Amino acid sequence: MTLSPKDGLQEVAAVMYGYGYGGWWMLFGPVVGLALLGLLVWVLVRLVQPARPAASPGPDAREILDRRYAAGEIDDQAYAQMSAKLTARHP
């Protein structure tokens, strides 16, 4: 079997327009590879890092009341009244 110059041009054209040795995968292959590598690094970092403690809840009602009283936002009577209500709810 002999190949004519025309057959060689068809092969080159097929390779150039994505029908041959890679086509679109020549562009997207490295992108997919980098994405998988990034995913692998992320998983390894997550496995190696120690677990972070859960965020502590905000201050409770007693702490807020004490701060407001200390800052002078409420007077003695309001503090005593609110403190009694809190004590009645949470002995």
Side-chain angles (χ1 to χ4, degrees), residues 56-75 79 82-83 86:
S56 62
D60 65 354
R62 174 64 65 182
E63 291 175 12
I64 295 171
L65 180 63
D66 291 342
R67 286 184 195 158
R68 290 184 64 196
Y69 181 65
E73 294 177 18
I74 55 176
D75 60 3
Y79 178 80
M82 290 180 198
S83 181
L86 285 175

Side-chain angles (χ1 to χ4, degrees), residues 19-84:
Y19 300 112
Y21 305 108
W24 286 101
W25 282 109
M26 288 181 70
L27 175 63
F28 290 114
V31 172
V32 171
L34 287 173
L36 290 174
L37 181 63
L39 179 65
L40 177 67
V41 168
W42 180 78
V43 167
L44 290 175
V45 167
R46 295 289 294 187
L47 290 174
V48 171
Q49 282 182 341
R52 288 186 242 158
S56 62
D60 65 354
R62 174 64 65 182
E63 291 175 12
I64 295 171
L65 180 63
D66 291 342
R67 286 184 195 158
R68 290 184 64 196
Y69 181 65
E73 294 177 18
I74 55 176
D75 60 3
D76 294 339
Q77 182 181 4
Y79 178 80
Q81 183 183 16
M82 290 180 198
S83 181

